[in-house]
Amino acid sequence: MVKLDEIQKRLIREIADLHEVPAGAYNFRANSALAGRNTTANIDIISKEDGSGIDIHIKPGTVHESVHIPVVLSESGLKETVYNDFFVGEDSDVVIVAGCGIDNCGSQDSEHDGIHRFYVGKNAKVKYVEKHYGSGDGQGKRILNPVTEVYMEEGSSMEMEMVQIKGVDSTERTTIAELKKKASLVVRERLMTHGSQRALSVYKVLLQEEGSSADIVSRSIARDRSYQKLDACIVGNAPCKGHTECDSIIMDEGTILAVPSLEAHHVDASLVHEAAIGKIAGEQLVKLMTLGLTEKEAEEEIINGFLA
Amino acid sequence: MLELKNISFSVNTDGTEKEIIHNLSLTVEDKKFVVITGPNGGGKSSLAKLIAGVEKPTAGRIILDGKDITDLSITERAQEGIAFAFQQPVRFKGIQVITLLRIAAGKPLSVSEACNYLSEVGLCARDYIHREVNASLSGGELKRIEIATVMARHSRLTVFDEPEAGIDLWSFQNLIRIFEAMRVNIQDSSMIIISHQERILNIADEIAVLANGRIEQFGTREEMLPKLIGTSSAQDACSRLK
Ligand SMILES: Nc1ncnc2c1ncn2[C@@H]1O[C@H](COP(=O)(O)OP(=O)(O)OP(=O)(O)O)[C@@H](O)[C@H]1O
Ligand SMILES: [Mg+2]
């Protein structure tokens, strides 16, 4: 059974597209307590003995299964640090949906710092989706500081989709990955900040062995007086391929810092980065206005497309 | 009916005003297919932008069906029934072809309705409908998508700025067929096509020659064609290959 109130259910819908209890394994956490858990024959979820988080064990060869581990905070003033460790067995193929929603109507800050570690076994495939969302009109801030560590064995692959579009006042995201032979990592990050929000995102990806590859693409929009910093570093220590792309739209009085960096320690490391920051092109607005949209509607279409 | 009355237009280049359209008047009647031709830099695209509201005239009035639209915004003019296909279409990161067609149609379009518009411009709809209108499209593909979006608007007045530019010869035949069909189905609407192509001049009701910011000649196709054929205003479709 999953015990959630209406606000919590709404948060869950925002971060995980879940309208009911999902099939497969799940662990729902609401206001720092367990609100529901399900395990399957192949996926086990165990609370850590010291209460600091959970361990998720996915048996080798598990295919077409999913794990949902949403976290919601709806009380003002909560601050928590949670450690979730994923042990993904060899040759498995799974979808993992995490995400955190905070509703803060009170005057104290609410903060969730989730530390996720992934041990991805040989030839395993993981699709990981993480959405962040904030709501509530209290003075208290909504703060999320996720740390994601990924250790990828030979031939494994991981696709990460990270989305934060609305309502998070302050975020510091750190993503660290280490890839062995022929492992591949794909990251798609979408970020939009409003008001006086701040968002920092740091990536450090180490391509350790032959044939490993990483592709990190971030698209972001900074509106109002918000601040963003993206720091994406790929290190090539073997014959490998790495690509980073930071593509940002700046609006109003926003600030964007893009600091992509590449480090090669092997002559066959092929590393590329691209970074572009600009405002919405005037001709794009004009085109959509000739199709009958107002300037505001045109802007929304361009933003929606950009973040799609 | 569109009336341009004593339109002048200036641009600011390095702090100095330069007039590029001079006291220009032109009437496009209902049900008419009018082709505007003339040398490069003559002011054709500028005139198209003035009609669509992308630029504002420094003097003169623009009247659509008796209503003065000179001070209306781009959006308001679009809502009044003006459509405009750009000479150089715009690219959008992330926006799909179907989204653009839906915005143009101003209503929800089914995938098959959207596909019809693409098929009409000779694009295999299935391959394109979910493509992003981004840098991955070739110039010719983009140009055809531009024409399809304008067709989806079913406007009272449509302005095409050099629709043939960037379109290969084989597709050019199809393009002519599209314009012929539009002319047959013109009903109460009117069309202005900016073009240098003889095949397009051939299906015009009226032809205007715009050079140096002025309408230098204007008349019916029968009057104008003999004067223009063989000049650079009327290139036949093969001249690029000769
Ligand atoms: N914004 C601008 N700033 C400066 N000059 C401009 C501007 N817009 C147009 N012009 C100039 O006005 C003249 C007319 O330009 P326009 O694009 O209307 O010509 P056109 O007839 O469409 O030419 P083409 O056949 O090459 O498309 C040109 O000399 C052009 O350089
Ligand atoms: Mg032009």
Side-chain angles (χ1 to χ4, degrees), chain A residues 247 284 287 291-293 305, chain B residues 75 79 84 91 93 146 153:
Chain A
D247 201 346
Q284 293 184 334
K287 178 69 226 178
L291 299 179
L293 299 188
Chain B
T75 308
Q79 287 161 355
F84 176 30
R91 298 174 196 267
K93 247 179 219 166
E146 178 82 357
R153 290 192 41 78

Side-chain angles (χ1 to χ4, degrees), chain B residues 1 33 91 104 108 120 141 143 151 156 220 225:
Chain B
M1 183 167 79
F33 187 106
R91 298 174 196 267
E120 280 194 67
E141 289 166 339
K143 194 77 187 181
M151 288 170 67
R156 288 157 66 187
T220 62
L225 269 186

Side-chain angles (χ1 to χ4, degrees), chain B residues 116-125 128 144 148 171 174-175 178:
Chain B
N116 286 342
Y117 290 112
L118 291 180
S119 307
E120 280 194 67
V121 294
L123 292 176
C124 177
Y128 287 94
R144 292 190 223 186
S171 315
N174 278 320
L175 190 70
I178 295 168

